[in-house]
Amino acid sequence: MTRLYLHIGLQKTGTSYLQNLCWSSVDELRGQGVTMVPEGRIETFWLALDVRQRIDAHDVPRVGRSVELLPEQLAAVTTPSALITHETLASASAAQISRLLEACAGHEVHVVVTARDIGRQVPSLWQEGLKAGRSDTLEEYVAELRGPDGRSGTVWRRLDLGGVLGRWAQAVPPERVHVVTVPGPNGPREALLERYCAVLGVDPGALDPDKAGPGNPGLGEAEAELLRRVNERVPDRYRRRVPYGEVGKRWFAMGILARAGSAPVRLGRAHEEWCRERAEESVRVIGELGCDIVGDVADLLPDSDVFEDTGGPDEAAVLEAATRALGAVLEERLEQRLARRAGATAAAQPGAAPTPRGVRRALGAVRRRLGRG
């Protein structure tokens, strides 16, 4: 029997950092007795989409068979433990959890939930919404969360630590539900990795944190406001996972806007009491359920310093962010044009070798991304 760790999120709790590090350390983890499942990062994303029933018409047919293929993938694991990690799984419904666990039958399932104080998590999640094509302001986003219907909406479902634990603890013994707390803003940076590895039974010294890369970088106030305004101009038909995820999120938001950050996005002090009440409620649920705590539940209580009445970025800062972004876009486009011209010139030379397949593929990807053939 394989011990299977399901790291299900929550979103914006260091998941990208941990996933980047794990996927860049597959051999090191296997040497420590843990195999990553499925076989690659994209396949794991497909599994999460299949579990959550979020398959798009643009997805390849293999996506819809991901849960079906999971038992065979787990059966092929030769190490004592296996790890599946994707933050989308946290929001799974009871029926979706049941379907996933049926595919994991015969294995000892442990659920790993990384959790962070809501005062920092809310503005980070708002930014993720912008990276997915949303165009609401931070205040509108928080008003939705705090409104009469907020706790029944999809936005709160991503934040609701107590609700996530309640759903998963109904299907997995609470002692096998591990809550790993993210250190507060002044906590040691290495603590999250150490706590995570403690659950997996892995020596953190065997992993190189530098392999994690930048993770999923946040945006500054000005860059976030710029993206929000740009999204307002993008037709709704494009503000979907496909194609917005590739172009709007990974290329523009993460590749262009995140290169330079202005002041960090913070919640106003008017929301401090509400955040503390929600955090205290989560701490109570953890205790009532009897989940395993790795770290300190005090990390989940927001520090007063994370709130600030900034009033948002001024127009000059947004204009500066827009100018930097347009400059970066133009520079990238010029480099691509020069590369295409150089390739065409070389191919036109007598006796020139064919353009290498890898270069042709790269150029094709660039053309598709820019919407040009």
Side-chain angles (χ1 to χ4, degrees):
M1 176 187 293
T2 300
R3 175 175 288 193
L4 173 60
Y5 294 100
L6 294 177
H7 176 207
I8 64 171
L10 304 173
Q11 284 186 294
K12 306 310 296 180
T13 60
T15 52
S16 294
Y17 164 72
L18 295 172
Q19 289 161 1
N20 286 352
L21 181 55
C22 287
W23 281 114
S24 63
S25 308
V26 170
D27 292 338
E28 291 86 346
L29 284 173
R30 187 178 292 112
Q32 294 272 317
V34 180
T35 299
M36 299 287 289
V37 178
E39 63 271 23
R41 191 161 190 161
I42 185 62
E43 289 81 6
T44 304
F45 177 51
W46 291 348
L47 174 65
L49 290 177
D50 192 12
V51 170
R52 294 292 321 287
Q53 298 173 309
R54 291 177 54 190
I55 299 173
D56 190 276
H58 297 279
D59 290 322
V60 298
R62 164 72 167 73
V63 177
R65 298 184 57 232
S66 297
V67 174
E68 173 190 336
L69 295 172
L70 184 57
E72 181 180 348
Q73 294 166 342
L74 290 173
V77 173
T78 57
T79 55
S81 301
L83 170 64
I84 296 174
T85 171
H86 204 283
E87 64 277 8
T88 302
L89 296 173
S91 301
S93 66
Q96 291 167 349
I97 292 170
S98 178
R99 178 170 173 248
L100 173 59
L101 294 182
E102 285 177 8
C104 303
H107 304 283
E108 182 183 293
V109 175
H110 289 247
V111 176
V112 184
V113 182
T114 42
R116 180 187 188 191
D117 78 79
I118 193 172
R120 291 184 295 159
Q121 191 180 8
V122 166
S124 293
L125 264 178
W126 169 68
Q127 291 186 46
E128 286 304 296
L130 298 182
K131 292 177 186 177
R134 291 182 63 135
S135 57
D136 46 353
T137 66
L138 178 58
E139 284 303 311
E140 290 169 342
Y141 182 86
V142 179
E144 180 181 345
L145 288 173
R146 299 189 61 176
D149 299 324
R151 303 192 70 169
S152 61
T154 57
V155 174
W156 177 250
R157 198 176 181 87
R158 301 187 184 100
L159 277 166
D160 185 11
L161 176 58
V164 169
L165 294 175
R167 289 193 301 276
W168 284 88
Q170 287 181 351
V172 176
E175 64 271 16
R176 285 201 254 132
V177 177
H178 311 277
V179 181
V180 179
T181 63
V182 177
N186 298 316
R189 292 176 58 85
E190 65 276 7
L192 175 60
L193 178 59
E194 291 173 350
R195 295 170 183 178
Y196 187 69
C197 287
V199 174
L200 302 181
V202 169
D203 176 11
L207 307 179
D208 182 2
D210 290 338
K211 288 185 175 182
N216 184 5
L219 303 176
E221 272 189 328
E223 289 76 20
E225 175 60 15
L226 173 61
L227 179 59
R228 190 193 69 78
R229 295 182 188 183
V230 169
N231 285 345
E232 288 183 322
R233 301 297 185 94
V234 177
D236 288 344
R237 67 181 182 275
Y238 296 127
R239 289 197 272 169
R240 301 166 56 90
R241 177 170 59 82
V242 180
Y244 194 93
E246 179 182 349
V247 180
K249 179 178 181 177
R250 285 183 285 279
W251 178 65
F252 185 58
M254 297 173 64
I256 301 295
L257 296 183
R259 293 180 187 175
S262 52
V265 179
R266 295 181 184 272
L267 281 182
R269 294 198 176 278
H271 305 301
E272 182 175 356
E273 183 179 354
W274 174 79
C275 286
R276 183 166 291 275
E277 289 173 353
R278 298 287 77 78
E280 291 173 347
E281 180 182 288
S282 294
V283 170
R284 286 197 301 271
V285 171
I286 293 171
E288 291 168 359
L289 290 174
C291 300
D292 175 42
I293 302 294
V294 185
D296 189 343
V297 291
D299 291 331
L300 303 179
L301 302 177
D303 191 279
S304 187
D305 291 343
V306 307
F307 301 93
E308 184 178 357
D309 293 323
T310 66
D314 58 32
E315 290 300 310
V318 177
L319 176 60
E320 174 61 24
T323 303
R324 285 198 305 266
L326 284 172
V329 168
L330 182 59
E331 179 182 0
E332 183 171 324
R333 187 69 179 93
L334 292 170
E335 288 290 341
Q336 292 161 357
R337 175 63 66 178
L338 288 175
R340 289 174 62 183
R341 281 184 172 275
T345 301
Q349 298 298 322
T355 304
R357 180 178 299 178
V359 174
R360 290 202 303 272
R361 287 179 176 172
L363 289 174
V366 168
R367 294 188 188 106
R368 288 192 296 274
R369 188 170 69 182
L370 295 172
R372 300 178 183 273

